[in-house]
Amino acid sequence: MRFFTTPRRIVVSIDSLSPNQPDREDLVKGPPADKAFDKDGKPTQAALGFAKKNNLDPAALEAREIDGGKYVAAVVKQKGRPTPEVLVDALPKLVESIKFEKSMRWNDSGIAFSRPIRWYVALLGDMVIPFEYAGVASGNISRGLRPYGSPDITIPSAEKYFDVIREAGILLDKEERKASIVEQVNQAAALLGGQAIIEEGLLNEVTNLIEMPTAVMGGFNEEFLALPRDVLISVMKKHQRYFPVVRATLVVAQGDEKAQGQGQALPLLPNFIAIRNGDDIHIDTVREGNEHVLGARFADANFFVREDVKLKLEEYRPKLSSLTFHTKLGSMLDKSNRMLKLGAEIGGLLGFKDMLIIKTLARAVYLSKADLVTQMVTEMTSLQGIIGGEYALRSGEAPEVAAAIAEQYQTVPQSKPGMALALTDRLDSLVGLFAAGLAPTGAKDPFGLRRAAIGVVQPLIEYDIDFDLSEAVKKSVKTQPIPVSEEAQKQILEFIAGRLKVVLGDMDFKHDIIEAVLAAQSTNPAGTVRAVKQLSAWVGREDWSSILDGFARCVRIIRSAGLDDKPLTIDDGKFVEKEERDLQAAIQSSTVNRPSSVDEFLEIVAKLIPSITAFFDKVLVMAEDEKVKENRLGLLQKIASLSNGIADLSKLEGF
């Protein structure tokens, strides 16, 4: 089976379809045997009804062992139907089964679909499969490109479908359309003396908007290049779905994708490339229309920016009181003030000592939300933060402050002040909204808290910086206008740990290793990742099974004795066997300092394995003398406790 999609058609093509269904024999379960026959073995009404329903002779009924009990059963034979007959029933159900997040109704049938259904082509060879659904009857007539007036296209047979559709100029294969767009856009950009910014998201969107791609080169007034670069790009991409063009001054090695992506920072040319759905007939008219629309949008943006910069960014901050963050949590100004208090604490938890970074963070937090009340962000919300950074520069703020403001909505900001600002914002939202009873449920997450939690975890991992999330949540709790219960704080940390688990899974670590580490430590994401990497390396060692077996034996005995949380004391005078004295000496020499990492913990265990093995070979742990037994259990407890706060190895496969 092959599938193809365009904006106007969904195609399913099946090769070598069987002409008939196979014949079937189904075992149909009837009533229990003791209800189907009376004492004399004659069929009861229950059995007679079952026989009549399945067209069987009651005398042929017999009891069978089914699902652990005796039931009357019947073998019902069903002759396979011809494929055309099956398809008449199956195809309407197939169309009905296609669901969309958003759908519409358009005629008296009351059936909902993403867009009105206008035609069906349903062919088995050259035979039309007749059916009707949503008020539309099937046939062998398709329709051509919309710019050509959607002419009827007769499809003589299923085998000839693809050739006929291609002759009509329609590219059914999404990947073929995408490749054609990339090739045409790059060629057009080269003709303009530049290179196109081709982002995967925009490319996919354009690919799914057209059936016959044709590149259209256009331009705009160079005066608009004075607008912030991100405004120009956002208008072209988001509003018009155009590909921006930058100066081709960057020379990169073939295959250097990272360097090629740096075209983002090159100066824009006063040009764009649009993709038309159709051929190049009247392309000048199409170009003029696109240029006119883009010019009008840039003129609007120019007006918004010109009006906005009449005030400094700082002067917009008091106006945040007019924006509600949440009824229980106050306005955006209230949130901004909370962030100001929390930001200083976050900087401390991140270990910032450099006064320049500390001052940059404080100023960036203070101004971070001010752009939300500017006309430009009101018109184009996707530019929040970016416009703030631009206006901060125009207001005379330090470049480091402007950069932090501009980066705050990136998953992983590029500067430390930007990262600290992002953490401050996301933690305030998580703590406040959880306290307000707005934790995500199922697929619903209206406040984007899953994204916020990942936005807490990923920067800490990328920067490999230790950070106590538990302490950070407590700091945020103190700034909230509503009470945050202990239970809510626990839920927040569990929620963030859940996102951390997702991130670790995306990094291709084994699930049992992730579980083992998260069971012991989840409030320091960077530390958790280091622990998972270290444990993964140990699990890959040739001697791992002997290390795990020796440690697991100690843990299992302690857990079965119920001594997980009951510390035992060790009395050297109670040792009886040489092997227990040797194990105690090995423990004392190996554990001068408590292990703080997986590597330190497992290096100690690896050194102890010979002593642990000898101990279990020669010493009976559960001795009759209670004090001797407790002393021996104390030794094992000391070994088992080495993993506390580092990893729970019982979660590992093979434990």
Side-chain angles (χ1 to χ4, degrees):
M1 296 178 71
R2 293 183 298 159
F3 304 89
F4 303 92
T5 57
T6 79
R8 297 198 82 191
R9 60 201 85 229
I10 301 172
V11 181
V12 182
S13 172
I14 307 170
D15 292 329
S16 307
L17 188 61
S18 171
N20 294 284
Q21 283 181 318
D23 296 340
R24 288 172 55 182
E25 284 190 0
D26 295 325
L27 183 67
V28 182
K29 187 170 78 172
D34 58 355
K35 306 285 187 197
F37 302 104
D38 60 19
K39 293 179 181 178
D40 301 324
K42 294 180 180 179
T44 63
Q45 282 300 317
L48 293 172
F50 175 71
K52 183 178 180 181
K53 177 182 176 183
N54 292 284
N55 297 317
L56 297 170
D57 180 357
L61 293 176
E62 59 182 49
R64 294 196 184 194
E65 196 76 33
I66 302 175
D67 298 335
K70 277 205 167 187
Y71 295 87
V72 169
V75 176
V76 178
K77 295 181 179 180
Q78 184 177 339
K79 188 169 179 59
R81 297 158 63 200
T83 295
E85 188 181 315
V86 176
L87 291 176
V88 167
D89 293 335
L91 293 181
K93 293 175 183 175
L94 173 64
V95 179
E96 182 184 17
S97 71
I98 301 172
K99 304 299 180 186
F100 301 86
E101 287 186 15
K102 293 181 180 179
S103 56
M104 61 180 290
R105 292 178 174 83
W106 66 94
N107 62 17
D108 293 339
S109 71
I111 287 169
F113 209 70
S114 68
R115 290 291 184 271
I117 297 172
R118 299 303 189 197
W119 74 88
Y120 303 111
V121 172
L123 292 169
L124 179 63
D126 57 4
M127 179 196 307
V128 171
I129 304 299
F131 70 89
E132 184 176 316
Y133 181 76
V136 180
S138 64
N140 67 341
I141 306 295
S142 185
R143 295 189 188 179
L145 290 163
R146 186 175 276 119
Y148 299 162
S150 301
D152 287 351
I153 302 174
T154 301
I155 311 295
S157 68
E159 289 77 11
K160 294 180 180 178
Y161 174 80
F162 292 99
D163 291 337
V164 173
I165 290 296
R166 183 172 285 275
E167 286 171 13
I170 297 163
L171 301 184
L172 288 175
D173 190 314
K174 176 187 172 183
E175 293 306 315
E176 185 181 359
R177 294 198 306 277
K178 185 189 282 190
S180 176
I181 291 168
V182 170
E183 182 182 5
Q184 292 185 56
V185 168
N186 283 333
Q187 287 176 352
L191 289 173
L192 293 167
Q195 64 186 56
I197 299 176
I198 304 177
E199 288 188 351
E200 191 67 18
L202 178 61
L203 178 59
N204 280 324
E205 186 176 7
V206 173
T207 299
N208 286 311
L209 286 172
I210 48 91
E211 295 191 307
M212 181 183 185
T214 299
V216 181
M217 293 184 289
F220 55 86
N221 193 320
E222 287 192 32
E223 292 179 2
F224 290 132
L225 291 175
L227 284 166
R229 187 176 188 275
D230 289 295
V231 170
L232 296 172
I233 291 175
S234 185
V235 169
M236 283 190 270
K237 285 168 40 183
K238 186 172 181 181
H239 289 272
Q240 299 304 122
R241 301 182 182 90
Y242 298 160
F243 296 97
V245 182
V246 296
R247 295 191 189 281
T249 57
L250 186 68
V251 178
V252 295
Q254 187 173 1
D256 189 350
E257 296 177 1
K258 185 176 180 182
Q260 289 170 357
Q262 290 171 358
Q264 290 281 353
L266 294 171
L268 283 171
L269 291 176
N271 300 99
F272 64 87
I273 301 165
I275 299 297
R276 180 192 187 187
N277 186 34
D279 56 26
D280 58 1
I281 296 174
H282 305 303
I283 201 161
D284 288 337
T285 304
V286 174
R287 177 188 298 109
E288 289 169 7
N290 281 283
E291 288 177 342
H292 176 75
V293 172
L294 184 63
R297 286 203 174 272
F298 280 168
D300 288 343
N302 193 37
F303 170 77
F304 295 139
V305 172
R306 193 169 63 244
E307 290 298 306
D308 284 343
V309 297
K310 288 178 179 178
L311 296 178
K312 287 189 174 184
L313 183 61
E314 185 174 5
E315 294 177 77
Y316 284 100
R317 193 173 184 275
K319 299 180 181 181
L320 289 171
S321 61
S322 64
L323 286 182
T324 300
F325 175 59
H326 187 271
T327 50
K328 293 182 179 179
L329 302 172
S331 67
M332 285 304 301
L333 181 59
D334 295 324
K335 177 179 173 62
S336 183
N337 288 332
R338 287 197 301 273
M339 287 173 57
L340 202 55
K341 296 175 185 175
L342 181 60
E345 303 283 4
I346 296 298
L349 289 173
L350 289 168
F352 290 170
K353 297 285 194 298
D354 187 321
M355 285 308 298
L356 177 60
I357 291 179
I358 293 169
K359 288 180 179 179
T360 298
L361 173 59
R363 187 64 178 168
V365 172
Y366 181 76
L367 297 172
S368 60
K369 302 304 175 186
D371 66 342
L372 296 179
V373 286
T374 62
Q375 292 191 57
M376 193 69 246
V377 172
T378 301
E379 178 67 16
M380 298 178 65
T381 54
S382 63
L383 291 176
Q384 60 183 343
I386 294 170
I387 286 296
E390 179 70 29
Y391 288 177
L393 283 175
R394 297 191 183 202
S395 300
E397 299 292 339
E400 297 84 3
V401 172
I405 294 170
E407 296 167 359
Q408 64 180 299
Y409 298 106
Q410 296 174 6
T411 304
V412 182
Q414 296 174 17
S415 70
K416 284 189 175 182
M419 181 263 289
L421 167 55
L423 290 178
T424 301
D425 184 13
R426 293 159 192 174
L427 284 168
D428 174 78
S429 293
L430 283 163
V431 173
L433 292 167
F434 263 79
L438 297 166
T441 56
K444 294 181 179 179
D445 186 12
F447 291 94
L449 294 183
R450 290 188 180 93
R451 185 172 63 250
I454 284 188
V456 168
V457 166
Q458 280 194 322
L460 294 168
I461 293 173
E462 291 291 329
Y463 278 84
D464 190 24
I465 191 166
D466 289 314
F467 185 79
D468 188 341
L469 284 172
S470 178
E471 190 62 29
V473 167
K474 289 177 183 175
K475 301 283 188 188
S476 181
V477 165
K478 293 177 181 177
T479 69
Q480 297 299 326
I482 57 175
V484 187
S485 66
E486 291 288 337
E487 182 61 28
Q489 294 178 50
K490 182 182 175 185
Q491 288 175 2
I492 294 163
L493 292 171
E494 288 174 351
F495 181 72
I496 297 174
R499 297 299 97 192
L500 175 56
K501 182 179 178 180
V502 170
V503 171
L504 288 166
D506 290 342
M507 294 169 75
D508 290 331
F509 291 113
K510 291 178 65 178
H511 73 91
D512 60 324
I513 294 176
I514 295 171
E515 294 283 356
V517 174
L518 285 178
Q521 52 169 310
S522 61
T523 59
N524 178 13
T528 300
V529 172
R530 287 195 294 271
V532 169
K533 286 178 179 177
Q534 290 175 12
L535 185 53
S536 297
W538 279 88
V539 169
R541 283 174 47 150
E542 289 184 5
D543 60 348
W544 173 245
S545 60
S546 63
I547 294 171
L548 182 62
D549 288 347
F551 181 75
R553 201 167 175 184
C554 300
V555 173
R556 284 196 292 266
I557 290 173
I558 292 303
R559 288 187 178 177
S560 64
L563 299 173
D564 280 7
D565 302 317
K566 183 184 174 185
L568 298 174
T569 56
I570 299 172
D571 183 352
D572 290 1
K574 299 295 183 196
F575 290 139
V576 177
E577 306 291 345
K578 173 182 178 294
E579 288 76 14
E580 54 189 322
R581 293 191 186 92
D582 290 346
L583 181 57
Q584 166 71 336
I587 293 171
Q588 287 177 333
S589 64
S590 301
T591 58
V592 177
N593 296 309
R594 174 146 195 86
S596 60
S597 69
V598 168
D599 279 346
E600 290 179 6
F601 150 54
L602 289 175
E603 280 165 7
I604 292 171
V605 175
K607 289 177 184 175
L608 293 175
I609 289 300
S611 300
I612 292 172
T613 303
F615 175 84
F616 282 121
D617 285 346
K618 299 291 184 178
V619 176
L620 176 65
V621 177
M622 297 303 184
E624 290 184 10
D625 187 315
E626 194 65 30
K627 290 184 178 179
V628 171
K629 179 179 78 172
E630 189 171 298
N631 218 39
R632 291 170 179 175
L633 286 171
L635 281 174
L636 301 186
Q637 186 186 64
K638 204 163 187 179
I639 296 169
S641 68
L642 290 171
S643 66
N644 290 353
I646 296 172
D648 181 354
L649 299 194
S650 69
K651 303 288 185 184
L652 294 178
E653 293 176 4
F655 185 84

